[in-house]
Amino acid sequence: MLTLQCLREERDRVLDALAKRHIDATATVDQVLDLDAKRRATQTELDQVLAESNSLSRQIGGLMREGKKAEAEEVKAKTAGLKAKTGELKDAMDAAEQELQVLLVSLPNTPCGLVAAGKTPDDNEEVFRSAEPQAAGGAAKPHWDLAKEHDLIDFDLGAKVTGAGFPFYKGQGAKLQRGLIRFFLEKADDAGYTEFIPPHMVNADSGYGTGQLPDKEGQMYHMQEDNLYMIPTAEVPLTNIYRDVVLQAADLPQKICGYTPCFRREAGSYGKDVRGLNRLHQFDKVEIVQVTHPEESYATLDTMVDHVKGLLEGLELPYRILRLCGGDMGFTSAMTYDFEVWSAAQERWLEVSSVSNFETFQANRLKCRFKDEDGKNKFVHTLNGSALALPRIVAALLENHQDDQGIVIPKALVPFVGFDRIGG
RNA sequence: GGAGAGGUGGCCGAGCGGCUUAAGGCGCACGCCUGGAAAGCGUGUUGGGGGCAACCCCUCCAGGGUUCGAAUCCCUGUCUCUCCGCCA
């Protein structure tokens, strides 16, 4: 959520930035500023009435103590009408505040200066590309065939037991999952991230804190009975650790990570690129999260990008990095880098990681602050990144590292999975 | 699921409907004292909002209610703890 202060002081900059998302927020922002002014005027008036009411009550208290009952009754008469008035003003305040909140929550984050104004994924800027993918020349088998051939993943069984998009991993396929998770967690540990195993369900406050609610309500599985949400990413429980927290400047940066399964309804995307591991309702992911000083966050974003690069290089996969354009960026992000790996059989790029700086957008909702040099509480910046999401990595590993007999496991991964090839 | 107890500042811990605009202690910060320190003394120490400012308002788990006045009384919710039941 954008801060009121920012809208008040930098209205034009905010509007320009939001224009990169192809949103004309002029009407909304001006309405916010109008409501804000109204709210403040009402508050001033309310404060005056409350001050008078408090003062009279104190007088009555004093008189009662001295036993001057008649005089107390006289003062009491003066309080008539004050209550109705405070009630009215409070209602006006609440109404203005609620309206304000609805509008504020509807505004996405402002893209940072480097972000281009494009509209579609085609307008994303490629900022890095690894060694060229090998031209398979149509010989490469798709991962769903390889998975079946080597009995690694059973999609039909998942469909029977749960539904489409919930596969079973078997034998070496299961070991590969477990090995990849360990590989990613060890690398995060080496980079100084503290590991957490968070809950896989969260309450509505947490969903709101990281921005899934109310914007993406329909994308999460909801347990109606207990009003809990299955996490769509570890970002939600991990970042919400910092909800309602005031940190010391010396505590920054906070670096944490965690492995969780992720649950996504993917409503509205049926039939689109859903073959094999391309799009699942449940998948595994290791997430890295940092909470930083506002001046450090973009340098931190670069180190997180480097971390993910290191992982993909360890897996010897061809990949590229995109800086998302305004039109393709998530609601809460100020800048996002997407990582895509090459699918040798599908002959297209698959997104495997998204690394974002949210600046104060989440911190404002989370009320996560730190005490700055002057002892004042200021909002931190939050960042996160997938490091990494498993299914498409598995797809790319199978497709890119296949040979005549089976699949070669990249050297760096061998100690974690416990074998150096599948098949053959 | 049943029964009971309880949520007060950074922490501990008092709190009779009005001298509580939250006692006292610990911790922390600053100052005095000291050759330096400890002790001692003094001052400050939740967060949010309004006002150019003096200052004012809100904040004792959350939301309602009673009252001129609520940390205190009533209702609802929530979380924690103890016991019983069930259970990996």
Side-chain angles (χ1 to χ4, degrees):
Chain A
M1 183 162 70
L2 298 174
T3 63
L4 260 177
Q5 192 193 357
C6 167
L7 292 175
R8 269 186 221 147
E9 292 170 5
E10 304 174 87
R11 172 187 175 274
D12 295 344
R13 189 193 64 78
V14 168
L15 290 178
D16 286 348
L18 289 178
K20 290 191 199 177
R21 290 181 181 267
H22 306 280
I23 292 169
D24 181 6
T26 313
T28 308
V29 169
D30 285 344
Q31 208 182 339
V32 164
L33 293 175
D34 190 51
L35 279 165
D36 178 47
K38 203 192 287 178
R39 197 207 90 237
R40 282 191 282 170
T42 310
Q43 165 132 42
T44 304
E45 205 181 333
L46 175 63
D47 284 356
Q48 281 167 4
V49 179
L50 285 173
E52 189 186 347
S53 168
N54 286 343
S55 151
L56 291 173
S57 287
R58 252 172 266 145
Q59 281 181 42
I60 295 170
L63 292 169
M64 295 291 271
R65 238 177 287 123
E66 293 165 30
K68 298 176 179 167
K69 222 172 176 182
E71 288 176 49
E73 286 300 325
E74 269 174 50
V75 180
K76 207 187 270 193
K78 288 193 206 167
T79 66
L82 283 183
K83 198 170 186 180
K85 202 165 176 185
T86 58
E88 253 171 58
L89 290 168
K90 263 184 195 164
D91 288 347
M93 281 273 291
D94 289 348
E97 229 153 52
Q98 259 181 42
E99 233 180 300
L100 198 57
Q101 190 69 9
V102 168
L103 291 174
L104 276 176
V105 161
S106 77
L107 291 169
N109 202 355
T110 50
C112 93
L114 273 176
V115 173
K119 280 191 178 172
T120 70
D122 296 334
D123 299 321
N124 295 334
E125 303 167 76
E126 184 173 312
V127 295
F128 180 86
R129 186 182 286 228
S130 69
E132 284 299 308
Q134 295 143 323
K141 296 179 194 166
H143 68 269
W144 48 85
D145 287 346
L146 292 164
K148 190 155 198 167
E149 187 179 321
H150 299 286
D151 204 15
L152 303 173
I153 305 169
D154 196 326
F155 292 98
D156 296 336
L157 192 56
K160 169 188 152 185
V161 171
T162 304
F166 291 92
F168 278 82
Y169 301 87
K170 293 173 66 178
Q172 282 185 303
K175 285 185 177 178
L176 179 60
Q177 288 290 118
R178 186 151 52 83
L180 280 165
I181 292 163
R182 275 192 59 214
F183 174 69
F184 295 146
L185 284 173
E186 290 297 325
K187 293 294 177 188
D189 186 66
D190 291 346
Y193 293 90
T194 302
E195 183 182 349
F196 282 74
I197 301 180
H200 297 170
M201 295 189 216
V202 294
N203 57 31
D205 283 347
S206 293
Y208 173 80
T210 32
Q212 280 69 31
L213 297 176
D215 187 44
K216 288 186 256 175
E217 172 104 54
Q219 291 300 333
M220 289 191 288
Y221 289 98
H222 182 220
M223 307 285 141
Q224 202 168 12
E225 190 83 20
D226 299 294
N227 195 24
L228 294 172
Y229 295 86
M230 301 298 294
I231 57 171
T233 157
E235 167 195 352
V236 182
L238 290 180
T239 308
N240 272 281
I241 290 171
Y242 298 98
R243 178 150 50 82
D244 296 320
V245 167
V246 180
L247 295 157
Q248 299 303 313
D251 296 333
L252 299 173
Q254 294 278 306
K255 300 176 72 175
I256 65 174
C257 68
Y259 152 73
T260 68
C262 301
F263 303 90
R264 298 190 182 179
R265 296 188 59 233
E266 301 292 354
S269 68
Y270 293 106
K272 194 180 170 223
D273 303 331
V274 296
R275 189 105 192 250
L277 294 168
N278 287 342
R279 187 183 299 278
L280 300 174
H281 288 304
Q282 177 181 332
F283 64 94
D284 295 304
K285 180 159 66 67
V286 171
E287 186 80 1
I288 52 177
V289 171
Q290 291 211 42
V291 177
T292 74
H293 191 286
E295 283 164 22
E296 304 293 324
S297 64
Y298 280 95
T300 298
L301 183 64
D302 290 342
T303 68
M304 292 172 76
V305 166
D306 284 344
H307 179 77
V308 176
K309 275 170 92 168
L311 298 177
L312 290 168
E313 267 149 34
L315 297 175
E316 299 170 40
L317 293 172
Y319 70 99
R320 63 176 187 174
I321 305 175
L322 306 173
R323 180 161 53 224
L324 298 192
C325 67
D328 200 31
M329 243 176 23
F331 187 81
T332 53
S333 177
M335 180 145 93
T336 295
Y337 289 103
D338 269 9
F339 285 71
E340 297 182 335
V341 294
W342 180 251
S343 165
Q346 302 178 70
E347 296 190 301
R348 61 192 189 94
W349 295 98
L350 302 175
E351 184 192 331
V352 291
S353 175
S354 196
V355 183
S356 303
N357 185 355
F358 304 99
E359 297 187 2
T360 61
F361 194 86
Q362 289 182 330
N364 186 25
R365 290 185 174 209
L366 294 162
K367 298 197 190 349
C368 178
R369 293 147 297 169
F370 73 103
K371 288 217 181 289
D372 73 2
E373 299 69 25
D374 304 324
K376 283 191 174 169
N377 288 344
K378 284 169 73 175
F379 286 124
V380 297
H381 281 193
T382 60
L383 304 95
N384 70 39
S386 348
L388 283 162
L390 289 245
R392 294 174 192 160
I393 288 290
V394 170
L397 278 175
L398 299 183
E399 294 182 11
N400 285 287
H401 295 325
Q402 60 185 304
D403 59 19
D404 295 343
Q405 267 87 57
I407 298 107
V408 179
I409 302 295
K411 273 196 198 73
L413 194 55
V414 171
F416 295 94
V417 297
F419 46 84
D420 59 10
R421 59 175 298 119
I422 293 167

Short mmCIF file of all heavy atoms in Angstrom, two decimals, chain A residues 115-135:
data_model
loop_
_atom_site.label_atom_id
_atom_site.label_comp_id
_atom_site.label_asym_id
_atom_site.label_seq_id
_atom_site.Cartn_x
_atom_site.Cartn_y
_atom_site.Cartn_z
N VAL A 115 12.36 0.89 -14.37
CA VAL A 115 11.34 0.06 -15.01
C VAL A 115 10.80 0.75 -16.26
O VAL A 115 10.45 1.92 -16.22
CB VAL A 115 10.19 -0.23 -14.01
CG1 VAL A 115 9.05 -0.95 -14.69
CG2 VAL A 115 10.72 -1.05 -12.84
N ALA A 116 10.72 -0.04 -17.34
CA ALA A 116 10.22 0.50 -18.61
C ALA A 116 8.69 0.50 -18.60
O ALA A 116 8.06 -0.22 -17.84
CB ALA A 116 10.73 -0.34 -19.77
N ALA A 117 8.13 1.29 -19.50
CA ALA A 117 6.69 1.52 -19.48
C ALA A 117 5.88 0.51 -20.29
O ALA A 117 4.70 0.69 -20.47
CB ALA A 117 6.39 2.92 -19.99
N GLY A 118 6.52 -0.57 -20.76
CA GLY A 118 5.82 -1.50 -21.66
C GLY A 118 4.53 -2.08 -21.13
O GLY A 118 4.22 -1.95 -19.95
N LYS A 119 3.82 -2.74 -22.05
CA LYS A 119 2.49 -3.25 -21.68
C LYS A 119 2.46 -4.75 -21.45
O LYS A 119 1.80 -5.24 -20.54
CB LYS A 119 1.50 -2.94 -22.81
CG LYS A 119 0.99 -1.52 -22.78
CD LYS A 119 -0.17 -1.34 -23.74
CE LYS A 119 -0.68 0.11 -23.64
NZ LYS A 119 -1.68 0.43 -24.64
N THR A 120 3.14 -5.50 -22.31
CA THR A 120 3.01 -6.97 -22.28
C THR A 120 4.37 -7.60 -21.99
O THR A 120 5.39 -6.92 -22.01
CB THR A 120 2.52 -7.49 -23.63
OG1 THR A 120 3.59 -7.33 -24.58
CG2 THR A 120 1.29 -6.74 -24.10
N PRO A 121 4.37 -8.93 -21.76
CA PRO A 121 5.64 -9.64 -21.53
C PRO A 121 6.65 -9.39 -22.65
O PRO A 121 7.86 -9.46 -22.42
CB PRO A 121 5.21 -11.11 -21.48
CG PRO A 121 3.82 -11.06 -20.94
CD PRO A 121 3.21 -9.80 -21.50
N ASP A 122 6.17 -9.09 -23.86
CA ASP A 122 7.10 -8.83 -24.96
C ASP A 122 7.92 -7.57 -24.73
O ASP A 122 8.97 -7.37 -25.34
CB ASP A 122 6.32 -8.66 -26.28
CG ASP A 122 5.61 -9.94 -26.69
OD1 ASP A 122 6.08 -11.02 -26.28
OD2 ASP A 122 4.57 -9.84 -27.36
N ASP A 123 7.43 -6.70 -23.84
CA ASP A 123 8.14 -5.44 -23.59
C ASP A 123 9.14 -5.54 -22.44
O ASP A 123 9.79 -4.56 -22.10
CB ASP A 123 7.11 -4.34 -23.27
CG ASP A 123 6.17 -4.12 -24.44
OD1 ASP A 123 6.64 -4.16 -25.59
OD2 ASP A 123 4.96 -3.93 -24.20
N ASN A 124 9.25 -6.72 -21.83
CA ASN A 124 10.25 -6.90 -20.77
C ASN A 124 11.65 -6.78 -21.36
O ASN A 124 11.88 -7.17 -22.50
CB ASN A 124 10.08 -8.26 -20.10
CG ASN A 124 8.75 -8.36 -19.37
OD1 ASN A 124 8.19 -7.35 -18.94
ND2 ASN A 124 8.23 -9.58 -19.22
N GLU A 125 12.57 -6.25 -20.55
CA GLU A 125 13.94 -6.07 -21.06
C GLU A 125 14.80 -7.24 -20.64
O GLU A 125 14.91 -7.54 -19.45
CB GLU A 125 14.56 -4.80 -20.46
CG GLU A 125 13.78 -3.54 -20.71
CD GLU A 125 14.32 -2.43 -19.83
OE1 GLU A 125 15.38 -1.89 -20.16
OE2 GLU A 125 13.67 -2.14 -18.79
N GLU A 126 15.46 -7.88 -21.60
CA GLU A 126 16.39 -8.94 -21.25
C GLU A 126 17.68 -8.29 -20.81
O GLU A 126 18.29 -7.54 -21.55
CB GLU A 126 16.63 -9.83 -22.46
CG GLU A 126 17.52 -11.01 -22.15
CD GLU A 126 17.62 -12.00 -23.31
OE1 GLU A 126 16.58 -12.37 -23.87
OE2 GLU A 126 18.76 -12.36 -23.64
N VAL A 127 18.10 -8.55 -19.56
CA VAL A 127 19.30 -7.89 -19.06
C VAL A 127 20.48 -8.84 -18.97
O VAL A 127 21.62 -8.41 -18.76
CB VAL A 127 19.04 -7.25 -17.66
CG1 VAL A 127 18.01 -6.14 -17.76
CG2 VAL A 127 18.60 -8.30 -16.65
N PHE A 128 20.23 -10.14 -19.12
CA PHE A 128 21.33 -11.10 -19.08
C PHE A 128 20.90 -12.39 -19.77
O PHE A 128 19.74 -12.80 -19.66
CB PHE A 128 21.72 -11.42 -17.63
CG PHE A 128 22.86 -12.40 -17.51
CD1 PHE A 128 24.17 -11.96 -17.55
CD2 PHE A 128 22.60 -13.77 -17.38
CE1 PHE A 128 25.22 -12.87 -17.47
CE2 PHE A 128 23.66 -14.68 -17.29
CZ PHE A 128 24.97 -14.23 -17.33
N ARG A 129 21.85 -13.02 -20.48
CA ARG A 129 21.56 -14.33 -21.04
C ARG A 129 22.80 -15.21 -20.88
O ARG A 129 23.91 -14.79 -21.17
CB ARG A 129 21.21 -14.22 -22.53
CG ARG A 129 20.75 -15.57 -23.12
CD ARG A 129 20.45 -15.44 -24.60
NE ARG A 129 19.19 -14.73 -24.84
CZ ARG A 129 18.25 -15.18 -25.67
NH1 ARG A 129 18.41 -16.32 -26.32
NH2 ARG A 129 17.16 -14.47 -25.87
N SER A 130 22.59 -16.42 -20.38
CA SER A 130 23.70 -17.35 -20.17
C SER A 130 24.11 -17.93 -21.52
O SER A 130 23.57 -17.55 -22.55
CB SER A 130 23.27 -18.47 -19.24
OG SER A 130 22.33 -19.29 -19.90
N ALA A 131 25.03 -18.87 -21.48
CA ALA A 131 25.48 -19.54 -22.70
C ALA A 131 24.26 -20.00 -23.50
O ALA A 131 23.26 -20.43 -22.93
CB ALA A 131 26.35 -20.74 -22.33
N GLU A 132 24.38 -19.93 -24.80
CA GLU A 132 23.26 -20.27 -25.68
C GLU A 132 22.74 -21.68 -25.42
O GLU A 132 23.54 -22.61 -25.21
CB GLU A 132 23.69 -20.18 -27.15
CG GLU A 132 23.80 -18.74 -27.65
CD GLU A 132 22.48 -17.98 -27.57
OE1 GLU A 132 21.47 -18.49 -28.08
OE2 GLU A 132 22.48 -16.89 -26.97
N PRO A 133 21.45 -21.86 -25.43
CA PRO A 133 20.91 -23.22 -25.32
C PRO A 133 21.35 -24.06 -26.51
O PRO A 133 21.47 -23.54 -27.62
CB PRO A 133 19.40 -22.99 -25.33
CG PRO A 133 19.17 -21.60 -25.79
CD PRO A 133 20.41 -20.82 -25.50
N GLN A 134 21.60 -25.35 -26.22
CA GLN A 134 21.99 -26.23 -27.33
C GLN A 134 20.79 -26.42 -28.24
O GLN A 134 19.69 -26.68 -27.75
CB GLN A 134 22.43 -27.59 -26.78
CG GLN A 134 23.69 -27.50 -25.95
CD GLN A 134 23.63 -28.46 -24.78
OE1 GLN A 134 22.57 -28.69 -24.18
NE2 GLN A 134 24.77 -29.03 -24.45
N ALA A 135 21.02 -26.33 -29.51
CA ALA A 135 19.92 -26.57 -30.45
C ALA A 135 19.67 -28.07 -30.52
O ALA A 135 20.53 -28.83 -30.94
CB ALA A 135 20.29 -26.02 -31.83
#
